[in-house]
Amino acid sequence: MVVLEGLRWRLGDGNRIHVWFDPWLRGGTKKLTKPIVNSFDPNLLLNDLIDRDSVSWKVELLDEL
C-alpha cells in the first residue's frame, strides 16, 4: 500500500512507546526480542532509556538489557 510506504512514526518524548512491544526502531516493523532474563520490565518505555539531563541514552541500562 502506497500510504504505508512513506508513513513515519514520531517518537516524541517516548512516554507512549513500549520498548519490547512497539516497532520503534528505524526501518523496521519488527519488535525487539524480549530478553531471556525473567526480570525484564514488560512496561519499559522508551523514555526510561533516555537521560533527560544529558539528552542521551542511558548506556548502563541498555547494556543491562
Side-chain angles (χ1 to χ4, degrees):
M1 185 173 205
V2 176
V3 172
L4 289 178
E5 237 175 76
L7 191 62
R8 297 280 187 243
W9 189 12
R10 293 190 183 255
L11 300 177
D13 62 6
N15 68 358
R16 293 184 179 185
I17 298 172
H18 291 88
V19 170
W20 305 114
F21 303 108
D22 292 328
W24 58 275
L25 294 172
R26 178 186 289 230
T29 55
K30 296 180 182 177
K31 299 169 187 149
L32 289 181
T33 304
K34 290 181 221 159
I36 297 171
V37 183
N38 290 333
S39 63
F40 86 97
D41 180 0
N43 298 313
L44 185 67
L45 297 174
L46 185 59
N47 70 349
D48 295 328
L49 303 178
I50 299 170
D51 182 327
R52 297 245 177 229
D53 294 330
S54 65
V55 192
S56 61
W57 294 108
K58 292 181 180 176
V59 177
E60 297 83 18
L61 179 56
L62 290 170
D63 285 343
E64 281 182 37
L65 298 173

